[in-house]
Amino acid sequence: MSSSPKNARIPQQPSLDITLKFLQVSINNVEQLVNFQISTSREHLDNYAKSIQALSQASTPQEALNQISDLARANANKAMECSGEFCDILSKAQEELQGLALEHLSSMQQSLQGMSSYLQQPTTETSQKK
């Protein structure tokens, strides 16, 4: 009976390692996303302040409308850039997690093959003795 807990620990170690890798990748990606959000927010606040200052200095309504149009165009372009960066971060995270999932499946397959060969050994030995 004491050998059962030992055998039960062996498959858990690779599973624990992969679980820790999943956590590490997830934490790294969350950190990247939070840093991206913070830097993007800072940039937007700076641009907002510059826009307010530029609009306050417009001398005619037409000049103000032109500035608003330019700002809207710049903001739309920046939004597209940010969404591209965001998608890149998510794509890299997906690739890393997919790689870990494949590694985990491979590890599980090896464990199952090992268990299968272990279970088949006693039947082979007993049939050879007969």
Side-chain angles (χ1 to χ4, degrees), residues 11 14-15 18 102-112:
S15 179
I18 289 176
L102 290 173
E103 181 182 332
H104 178 63
L105 288 175
S106 174
S107 173
M108 292 298 291
Q109 183 180 14
Q110 289 174 355
S111 294
L112 290 173

Side-chain angles (χ1 to χ4, degrees), residues 6-25:
K6 274 187 183 178
N7 291 342
R9 288 186 202 151
I10 292 172
Q12 289 177 355
Q13 185 59 37
S15 179
L16 180 62
D17 289 343
I18 289 176
T19 301
L20 290 174
K21 286 179 185 178
F22 270 108
L23 286 172
Q24 182 180 11
V25 166

Side-chain angles (χ1 to χ4, degrees), residues 28-65:
N28 288 343
N29 288 310
V30 166
E31 182 181 13
Q32 281 183 324
L33 288 171
V34 168
N35 287 337
F36 173 73
Q37 183 180 15
I38 290 170
S39 67
T40 303
S41 296
R42 279 185 182 146
E43 190 174 326
H44 284 304
L45 287 172
D46 287 344
N47 287 339
Y48 182 72
K50 290 175 187 175
S51 300
I52 296 294
Q53 183 180 13
L55 284 174
S56 68
Q57 294 175 357
S59 57
T60 65
Q62 186 60 41
E63 187 180 342
L65 287 175

Side-chain angles (χ1 to χ4, degrees), residues 55-85:
L55 284 174
S56 68
Q57 294 175 357
S59 57
T60 65
Q62 186 60 41
E63 187 180 342
L65 287 175
N66 289 341
Q67 286 180 351
I68 290 171
S69 177
D70 291 343
L71 292 170
R73 190 176 313 111
N75 285 335
N77 289 336
K78 186 62 183 173
M80 292 301 289
E81 288 176 25
C82 288
S83 65
E85 277 186 64

